[in-house]
Amino acid sequence: SQQGEEDPQALSIQEGENATMNCSYKTSINNLQWYRQNSGRGLVHLILIRSNEREKHSGRLRVTLDTSKKSSSLLITASRAADTASYFCATDGGSRLTFGEGTQLTVNP
Amino acid sequence: DVKVTQSSRYLVKRTGEKVFLECVQDMDHENMFWYRQDPGLGLRLIYFSYDVKMKEKGDIPEGYSVSREKKERFSLILESASTNQTSMYLCASSLSVPTTDIQYFGAGTRLSVL
């Protein structure tokens, strides 16, 4: 089974609103990564958070990590139509990086 | 910037054909990966390679083989294509540690097997 599982599977919001996606995982990790995929394209790395970090920022992105709950969240503030994409978390709890099934975010203009 | 290039964006093949998917990276990365992506199943690792001529099976290696003769090139081979191999194939590379390093992806190859 997948190490990381995103929630919700799909999210639709209006431009300007914030979007929050969650990721839960099962085993201990060294780090957790978030990736973005535009429709029909490859994945692009967004941010990496280490197990000893609780929060990390990059531009309009904010990632939190709660190792006690084995969960992470990705917050996109002031969303734009161009943020429409699928977002994946990836964890290294096993012998390799394992990706979740993704959250499909739609930002309506 | 790291560039990972997949040789084809779209490919249509017939059942039973031998299919080669090529991937080249330009950043001297040690590790290269092949995934397939299907709706509802996320990304599944087929094979990865941590050095030239070294390979390891991923989660779904059946029906596939790989070749890495040079550091920058990693090929995925479908020995006898079947319709259930119709999918999006993604190649990725990472610097040194396959479990933790950031992965850089190609644009993907959408393969249809008829």
Side-chain angles (χ1 to χ4, degrees):
Chain A
S1 63
Q2 292 286 347
Q3 164 74 324
E5 294 183 4
E6 292 89 348
D7 169 58
Q9 287 189 326
L11 182 60
S12 181
I13 59 173
Q14 295 300 121
E15 214 166 20
E17 293 180 343
N18 296 342
T20 300
M21 289 157 271
N22 303 296
C23 171
S24 59
Y25 57 92
K26 296 184 175 68
T27 62
S28 298
I29 59 171
N30 295 307
N31 68 52
L32 185 144
Q33 303 179 35
W34 284 92
Y35 288 78
R36 165 196 168 125
Q37 183 182 35
N38 285 11
S39 180
R41 309 293 295 187
L43 279 71
V44 174
H45 180 262
L46 294 175
I47 199 164
L48 180 153
I49 186 165
R50 302 192 188 284
S51 59
N52 61 354
E53 297 175 309
R54 290 297 167 259
E55 189 170 310
K56 204 161 182 181
H57 297 254
S58 176
R60 292 184 296 112
L61 305 181
R62 173 178 165 247
V63 169
T64 61
L65 179 64
D66 186 335
T67 53
S68 66
K69 294 181 180 178
K70 293 187 170 58
S71 68
S72 173
S73 67
L74 170 67
L75 168 67
I76 303 174
T77 60
S79 64
R80 306 166 182 167
D83 294 328
T84 294
S86 292
Y87 292 83
F88 296 83
C89 68
T91 55
D92 67 346
S95 59
R96 60 182 74 101
L97 203 60
T98 305
F99 291 82
E101 293 179 20
T103 292
Q104 172 61 49
L105 173 66
T106 302
V107 181
N108 301 300
Chain B
D1 278 351
V2 177
K3 191 164 185 184
V4 178
T5 303
Q6 294 184 230
S7 54
S8 305
R9 289 298 318 278
Y10 300 95
L11 214 48
V12 180
K13 296 292 180 180
R14 297 241 175 246
T15 302
E17 279 193 74
K18 190 168 186 176
V19 181
F20 292 86
L21 302 183
E22 306 285 346
C23 177
V24 177
Q25 50 95 2
D26 66 356
M27 283 301 292
D28 203 35
H29 282 177
E30 300 289 332
N31 308 302
M32 297 189 74
F33 308 82
W34 274 107
Y35 296 89
R36 66 176 280 177
Q37 184 178 26
D38 301 288
L41 296 176
L43 271 74
R44 292 181 291 168
L45 181 64
I46 304 171
Y47 269 99
F48 72 98
S49 168
Y50 50 90
D51 200 354
V52 175
K53 301 199 178 189
M54 305 302 288
K55 61 186 179 185
E56 284 220 15
K57 293 180 180 179
D59 299 318
I60 51 162
E62 297 78 19
Y64 303 93
S65 62
V66 290
S67 171
R68 194 167 181 202
E69 295 295 320
K70 293 185 178 181
K71 192 174 187 179
E72 67 270 18
R73 187 178 298 269
F74 192 35
S75 303
L76 180 69
I77 303 154
L78 287 66
E79 295 290 341
S80 177
S82 64
T83 55
N84 63 12
Q85 292 178 311
T86 291
S87 187
M88 174 71 137
Y89 290 88
L90 294 167
C91 174
S93 71
S94 69
L95 182 59
S96 59
V97 182
T99 54
T100 59
D101 284 350
I102 293 167
Q103 293 191 11
Y104 297 85
F105 283 79
T109 296
R110 190 166 292 282
L111 172 67
S112 295
V113 182
L114 307 178

